[in-house]
Amino acid sequence: MRMQHRYGATLHVITGVLCLVLLALLFVPYVLKLVRQQQNKSLELRAEYSSVDSCDSSMSSKKKRPGKVEKALRSAHGYLGKVFLIVVVIHALVAFKGFTLVSVLGFICFALALLLFITYLRRKHLGKKWLAMHRHLAFGMLALVIVHVFVQL
């Protein structure tokens, strides 16, 4: 049974925006980690320069640790990923109106999201390379999602 057009269009937009919000929440912990690592490198460099001048290495012990937001989002990453997949399926079912460039890009994004989930499920079998694969697929999907959104506009 098909939804009425105006409700389908509204649900299409709501699920699309929800997908983008979930995708942002999935990427935030990684971005926060990169920022924290950069800050720690900066602190280490300052500590090296100050230790040359004053023989005091107390600055090196002030490394930044993951904050509450980063920890919370990291622990929720698996659940957010599963919710993301469900919302993407709903979005695809509501938004599909035939084979267009937008729908093909959306399908490729969905396929990459499934591959991300599969790499997570097979992480023990893939060994050390699973995380690199997961990150490469994630950034590929992010790039395609951005293209998908801008082609839609």
Side-chain angles (χ1 to χ4, degrees):
M1 185 189 232
R2 238 14 201 169
M3 289 186 195
Q4 291 179 353
H5 179 67
R6 70 173 186 205
Y7 296 120
T10 304
L11 190 57
H12 162 255
V13 172
I14 291 170
T15 56
V17 170
L18 187 55
C19 285
L20 291 175
V21 169
L22 288 168
L23 191 61
L25 290 174
L26 287 165
F27 270 90
V28 165
Y30 184 70
V31 172
L32 290 175
K33 177 184 171 186
L34 291 178
V35 168
R36 183 173 38 82
Q37 286 176 339
Q38 191 62 39
Q39 288 173 340
N40 284 337
K41 284 181 184 178
S42 173
L43 284 173
E44 288 173 10
L45 285 174
R46 285 187 202 150
E48 283 180 29
Y49 288 127
S50 68
S51 67
V52 169
D53 293 339
S54 65
C55 296
D56 180 26
S57 62
S58 62
M59 297 230 353
S60 63
S61 65
K62 295 183 181 180
K63 278 191 168 184
K64 294 197 176 251
R65 301 205 186 291
K68 291 179 183 177
V69 172
E70 184 180 348
K71 285 181 182 178
L73 287 174
R74 259 200 225 164
S75 64
H77 187 81
Y79 298 112
L80 288 172
K82 292 169 189 161
V83 171
F84 175 73
L85 275 177
I86 292 167
V87 174
V88 166
V89 168
I90 294 168
H91 175 68
L93 292 173
V94 173
F96 185 72
K97 292 176 180 52
F99 290 100
T100 63
L101 178 61
V102 174
S103 66
V104 170
L105 287 170
F107 177 77
I108 296 169
C109 291
F110 175 67
L112 288 174
L114 277 178
L115 285 173
L116 280 162
F117 186 60
I118 291 168
T119 60
Y120 167 73
L121 293 176
R122 304 285 295 166
R123 66 189 181 278
K124 290 181 183 172
H125 177 72
L126 294 170
K128 293 180 181 180
K129 61 184 174 181
W130 93 268
L131 190 56
M133 290 173 65
H134 195 76
R135 285 182 183 156
H136 285 99
L137 286 168
F139 281 105
M141 185 185 71
L142 179 63
L144 276 174
V145 165
I146 291 168
V147 172
H148 173 71
V149 168
F150 280 106
V151 168
Q152 178 66 34
L153 298 178

